Amino acid sequence: MLRLRRYRVFLFFASVIAYLFVRISSKSEWIQYGNEDVRHVLQKGEEKPIPFTLAKPKTKALDPQLPSQPQETKEVLIDHSRPTAASPPTTSINTNLQTKPSTLAEALPSTPLVAVIPPIPLPDRKLPPANIHGTDEDPVDDVHPIAPPGRQELPELPEEPSSTIHWQKQTEHFPIATGSLIHLPTGNPVEIPRIQFKFDDETTDAKISREKRQTEVRVEFQKAWMGYRKYAWLHDELSPVTGQFRDPFCGWAATLVDALDTLWIMGLREEFEEAVGDLKLIDFTTSPRGDIPMFETTIRYLGGLVAAYDVSEGKYATLLDKAIELAEVLMGAFDTPNRMPVLYYRWKPAFASQPHRASQRANLAELGSLSLEFTRLAQITKEPRYYDAVARVTNALSEWQDRGTPLDGVFPENVDASGCNRTEEILNEQPASTPIIPYNPENSEEEPTGYQAPMLETVPNSKQKREPSKDAQSGPGSLKLQIVPGEPSKGQITGWETHHADGGLNMKRQLSAGTGNESVDSSPRNPMTGLPLDMSEEGTATVEAEAAKKACQPQGLESTGSDKFSMGGGQDSTYEYLPKQYLLLGGLEGKYRKMFNMTMNAVRKHMLYRPMVPGNEDILFTGSLSIYPGIRDEDPVLTTEVEHLTCFIGGMVGLGSKVFDIAGDLELAKKLTDGCVWAYQSTALGIMPEGGHVLPCQSSEHCTWNETYYHEALDPMGSRRDEGVAEYEANKEARKKEMELARVAAKDQNKLVAATAAKEATEEASEELDLKDPTASIKIALPEGEEPPLMKRQLGDRIDDASFKPSSKDPTYQETVESTAAELREEADAGQNNPLPLLAPNDDALEDPSKPLTHAEYVASRIKQENLPGGYTMIRSAKYILRPEAIESVWYMYRITGDRSWQDKGWNMFTSIRNATSTEFGNSAIADVTTNPPYLEDEMESFWLSETLKYFYLLYSTPDTISLDNWVLNTEAHPFKRPA
């Protein structure tokens, strides 16, 4: 009994302990795995969750440049069970600050005088075949910028406790000796011509208008930033329609890092410091994604951190620390035999520890757009490895350009960056042993697949003899496995040994089948590489590098075979970085000038064209050319594309014209920028589509709108289509005549049938009457007063049959005739043998559905169905994903020329974008710029805050804000300080 009571006491305490354990575990799990910091803001009508308490928010004043405005206080919930740093403090802004576009009359100074420069003549363009602009059968490309390869939509899976894998710094397989590192160029920067226009003081009215526009841009930014920090804090992107979040990159808070310098430039200091404070919560050594997209990570994250450090004048050490942390992870991607980076770097140790090569199909923009970020980091930290990594990529591109690319010095979209001539390798292939990689069931899904260094030699296997097992429990010949404790990979079968003929023990790797007296290395070896474990790291790296060289015939960068050349997506920023890297290095590295000049020569010769547009605007675009292996000797045909991504080129050409003093290129830059302004104005929403085709002018000097030629481009089969319609009309007229003849014949046939039927009915009726009363229906013609004669059967042959006629007054006879005739008419009208007559033509009847469209009808139908703006022959992608390239070039043109008309063009673009994309929480990408109202896609890329709104803001800032004579902006609009 006593034991039973004790058992009850123990059971009671066990229950209490279990309950407390469950409660404590649930709280700890929330702390460890929860990441919903930003969902603590109360919505209207929501009840307070129990674990939270209300806290009075801090209030702040907006930037002094903003006009005084009422503040709106909001209540924010704070989760005391979580680190307070993870939840951003609240900042009050008035969400009603959005105002309608300014109606204030703007008294702007006259356009500054610009010296007249002779234009650079462009070659005449061959008019492409009609189907070059695309037909209904053309495939719609997945334009690189719409869904960049660096983006990866991760599935939303429930969080489960699991061990987190972290990146670890690995010993390099192909190191660069310290003495061989490429260092930053030294010396005083060369004198570079002034880039920005020398602005005069603005008038009071111009200043008021400019500041009003600037304020509206900042308000739009603040709304999107507040939506991000409320619903997507520490995640990559905000879903601005639904208030959710997305992590298409590595889950390292892309929007937060990308927008840091914009916060500083707009004077939002408190928001900047809040974001910098939460950078420590980002761990660049782990990610839910298995690979790191080098291009997107470098331009957004590394560029964002370095630029924020620069604009804040180095006051926040956290920014530099996080930049170095990320850079060390990314440096592993450059550890290849030719030092070309792996563009999608598998960072987990199972792969990172293995030798690997760059891709045989690397994207040019991703390969060549890493230089600015690593160079600026090297300048700040004095670490030469960062500059060495990107300088080798530039050297490889420069060497290829000097050697000769397939198109006069411009590079194709895809590049073989492996450094290995596979054709040579196949011809000279030698057998090589395969390294032994132990199987690890925990990491089976991330089994290394990269390049593996071959063994130094191929050794024949020794013949082995097995001693019979005396203790076999399963009969003679059974095998017994002996496993070293704690090391299952070192298991061996007991009794398996090799012997000399004299019975002595021999080595397991017998180098010679001869005497057996040769010296043999019995030291343990690395199962990954096959090299001795006691070999020094330097020796291991040297041997592995030599083995890698023997694996294939080394080569430089090469074409992949089928090449596409353009200034658009997938190639753009490699060329953009040439003048910018020249500026960042103070003009001390001359190869960037050489590479830019060669590129621009090819662009002028092959890619620039003037489109034929309804208003005859003098504008320019750049097209693309494709070269295939079978037709390399033929002249490539220019495809007259219009891509939003290519709109950066106006700014690039304008910048290059000033930096390298290229006379005439500034005029080209203006026309290229105006081309994108026209593309914005041409659509229903006032926004340029992602990509389309237009019709080129044969001459860039003389080009007028030709609607006939435009319609022929929309319908290359127009002449045959009209011939088909004419043939159809002729056939239709012939059929009409045939039907008319058939109608007349049917009418005559009906009359004949009716007459025959009436005759037969009369005869039948006469015979019936004869049977009843021979005299009732027969009237004999006699003289008046005479009596009827005898019947025929009485008179015999004396009476002629023709003299007997039926009486039409007899009612029975009339009924029989009428009924019989009616039946015959119904039978004839039934259409068994005689069709019904056709209806008379009616002008109000529906159109003939079988009639083919004429050329004019087809063109009108296509324009209507595809919503084609005037001048476009095809729209390949009608999306707009909040892109910045057009306003980027507009800003460059304003800063370089001083012409304030660019501010007006930019304002029209801003109001159109705001009206079409604005949501409650931010701004959303739209599916089709040719339809109104637009469909919102619930996506807000980080570059909306990093680039697009930054360029709009800078367009209405004073010229000394991020001056082009002091700063260089990377392709994500992150400004880096130029050397003094």
Side-chain angles (χ1 to χ4, degrees), residues 365-599:
E366 295 178 346
L367 180 67
S369 306
L370 310 174
S371 54
L372 285 177
E373 297 78 8
F374 279 95
T375 297
R376 184 56 189 150
L377 184 61
Q379 290 175 339
I380 296 173
T381 63
K382 311 301 181 183
E383 174 54 67
R385 293 187 303 114
Y386 299 145
Y387 179 71
D388 174 89
V390 294
R392 292 181 184 275
V393 177
T394 300
N395 290 346
L397 289 169
S398 179
E399 184 275 333
W400 189 15
Q401 197 178 51
D402 294 338
R403 179 166 27 102
T405 65
L407 188 67
D408 295 343
V410 292
F411 307 105
E413 183 174 5
N414 295 306
V415 179
D416 182 357
S418 66
C420 180
N421 190 327
R422 300 294 178 180
T423 304
E424 191 74 18
E425 177 186 1
I426 294 174
L427 295 177
N428 302 322
E429 186 175 13
Q430 298 294 331
S433 59
T434 303
I436 302 173
I437 301 177
Y439 174 74
N440 187 347
E442 294 182 358
N443 297 329
S444 60
E445 294 183 358
E446 51 185 80
E447 182 179 354
T449 58
Y451 168 79
Q452 300 172 356
M455 301 284 290
L456 295 180
E457 58 194 6
T458 302
V459 182
N461 294 328
S462 59
K463 297 183 179 179
Q464 299 177 339
K465 298 181 181 180
R466 179 179 58 83
E467 295 181 352
S469 175
K470 299 179 181 180
D471 302 328
Q473 300 178 2
S474 302
S478 298
L479 304 179
K480 182 182 294 184
L481 181 66
Q482 181 180 359
I483 299 177
V484 179
E487 299 185 57
S489 63
K490 295 185 178 181
Q492 62 182 1
I493 298 175
T494 304
W496 279 64
E497 296 176 348
T498 57
H499 294 263
H500 289 295
D502 57 359
L505 183 64
N506 194 9
M507 296 299 178
K508 292 185 178 180
R509 293 176 61 95
Q510 185 173 346
L511 300 182
S512 174
T515 62
N517 297 325
E518 293 81 357
S519 61
V520 180
D521 182 9
S522 61
S523 60
R525 294 179 175 271
N526 187 333
M528 291 290 187
T529 62
L531 299 176
L533 291 176
D534 58 355
M535 180 178 289
S536 65
E537 293 184 0
E538 293 79 5
T540 301
T542 302
V543 172
E544 290 177 345
E546 292 297 326
K549 291 180 181 178
K550 295 179 180 179
C552 67
Q553 183 67 28
Q555 68 176 13
L557 299 178
E558 285 291 346
S559 164
T560 59
S562 297
D563 300 321
K564 179 181 179 181
F565 303 87
S566 77
M567 293 289 112
Q571 305 172 60
D572 45 6
S573 49
T574 291
Y575 306 111
E576 174 192 353
Y577 273 25
L578 297 177
K580 292 182 176 181
Q581 183 77 344
Y582 181 85
L583 289 173
L584 190 60
L585 293 174
L588 298 175
E589 179 52 79
K591 65 169 58 73
Y592 294 101
R593 176 195 288 268
K594 180 266 299 184
M595 295 176 69
F596 182 80
N597 287 335
M598 290 186 68
T599 298

Side-chain angles (χ1 to χ4, degrees), residues 711-712 715-729 852-856 858:
H711 286 180
E712 289 176 356
D715 182 22
M717 305 293 293
S719 59
R720 294 183 59 182
R721 198 180 303 279
D722 286 341
E723 291 174 1
V725 173
E727 183 179 354
Y728 173 84
E729 293 291 351
L853 297 177
T854 64
H855 169 61
Y858 175 86

Side-chain angles (χ1 to χ4, degrees), residues 580-893:
K580 292 182 176 181
Q581 183 77 344
Y582 181 85
L583 289 173
L584 190 60
L585 293 174
L588 298 175
E589 179 52 79
K591 65 169 58 73
Y592 294 101
R593 176 195 288 268
K594 180 266 299 184
M595 295 176 69
F596 182 80
N597 287 335
M598 290 186 68
T599 298
M600 282 304 303
N601 290 337
V603 169
R604 297 187 203 98
K605 179 180 179 181
H606 297 290
M607 297 183 186
L608 284 179
Y609 72 93
R610 179 178 176 179
M612 187 182 71
V613 293
N616 297 323
E617 288 87 346
D618 188 5
I619 56 179
L620 294 175
F621 288 110
T622 59
S624 66
L625 302 98
S626 296
I627 300 180
Y628 303 98
I631 57 173
R632 285 190 176 274
D633 295 335
E634 300 180 10
D635 292 335
V637 177
L638 178 69
T639 301
T640 51
E641 297 174 338
V642 174
E643 282 194 9
H644 200 295
L645 267 175
T646 315
C647 285
F648 86 97
I649 194 171
M652 182 195 77
V653 174
L655 181 66
S657 71
K658 303 295 288 187
V659 173
F660 301 123
D661 195 18
I662 306 176
D665 266 11
L666 183 56
E667 291 303 313
L668 296 182
K670 295 177 184 177
K671 293 180 180 181
L672 286 165
T673 305
D674 270 331
C676 294
V677 173
W678 168 85
Y680 266 76
Q681 298 170 348
S682 65
T683 66
L685 294 179
I687 302 175
M688 181 179 181
E690 280 289 335
H693 289 176
V694 293
L695 199 60
C697 297
Q698 187 172 4
S699 170
S700 61
E701 297 297 327
H702 308 284
C703 182
T704 56
W705 174 252
N706 186 333
E707 189 165 350
T708 301
Y709 181 43
Y710 175 64
H711 286 180
E712 289 176 356
L714 291 178
D715 182 22
M717 305 293 293
S719 59
R720 294 183 59 182
R721 198 180 303 279
D722 286 341
E723 291 174 1
V725 173
E727 183 179 354
Y728 173 84
E729 293 291 351
N731 293 337
K732 181 178 179 182
E733 188 65 24
R735 289 195 303 270
K736 183 178 180 180
K737 292 180 179 179
E738 292 177 358
M739 297 301 295
E740 183 64 26
L741 294 176
R743 183 185 301 109
V744 173
K747 185 176 181 181
D748 294 340
Q749 182 68 17
N750 289 340
K751 291 180 179 179
L752 179 61
V753 169
T756 303
K759 181 178 180 182
E760 293 177 353
T762 302
E763 292 177 354
E764 291 177 359
S766 176
E767 292 178 358
E768 291 178 0
L769 293 175
D770 287 341
L771 295 176
K772 297 178 181 179
D773 184 3
T775 62
S777 59
I778 299 175
K779 181 179 180 180
I780 302 175
L782 294 174
E784 186 177 355
E786 294 187 6
E787 296 294 333
L790 297 176
M791 300 306 299
K792 182 178 180 180
R793 60 184 177 180
Q794 295 173 323
L795 299 178
D797 296 334
R798 289 181 299 170
I799 300 177
D800 186 7
D801 292 341
S803 62
F804 291 89
K805 296 182 178 179
S807 174
S808 58
K809 297 181 179 180
D810 182 41
T812 304
Y813 169 76
Q814 289 296 335
E815 286 183 16
T816 303
V817 172
E818 292 176 2
S819 63
T820 303
E823 291 176 1
L824 292 174
R825 281 195 300 271
E826 291 178 2
E827 196 173 314
D829 294 341
Q832 298 293 333
N833 300 315
N834 302 297
L836 290 173
L838 296 178
L839 296 175
N842 184 2
D843 294 337
D844 297 331
L846 296 177
E847 294 183 2
D848 184 358
S850 62
K851 178 185 177 182
L853 297 177
T854 64
H855 169 61
E857 291 170 342
Y858 175 86
V859 169
S861 175
R862 185 178 173 193
I863 292 175
K864 181 179 180 181
Q865 291 180 4
E866 300 180 20
N867 293 320
L868 286 178
Y872 278 89
T873 58
M874 182 182 183
I875 293 183
R876 301 184 69 83
S877 175
K879 286 186 176 182
Y880 174 69
I881 59 173
L882 308 176
R883 288 209 169 278
E885 290 78 19
I887 187 58
E888 172 185 350
S889 287
V890 168
W891 176 70
Y892 272 98
M893 288 301 98

Side-chain angles (χ1 to χ4, degrees), residues 198-238:
K198 191 174 181 179
F199 289 86
D200 296 328
D201 295 336
E202 60 185 339
T203 64
T204 302
D205 290 341
K207 181 179 180 180
I208 293 173
S209 174
R210 176 184 60 79
E211 291 181 347
K212 185 177 186 302
R213 290 175 172 181
Q214 185 189 57
T215 299
E216 292 194 37
V217 173
R218 179 165 41 193
V219 167
E220 198 69 15
F221 174 91
Q222 288 176 300
K223 181 186 68 171
W225 176 256
M226 291 301 294
Y228 169 75
R229 68 195 291 270
K230 180 178 179 180
Y231 294 108
W233 193 248
L234 296 180
H235 290 279
D236 284 343
E237 294 176 2
L238 166 72

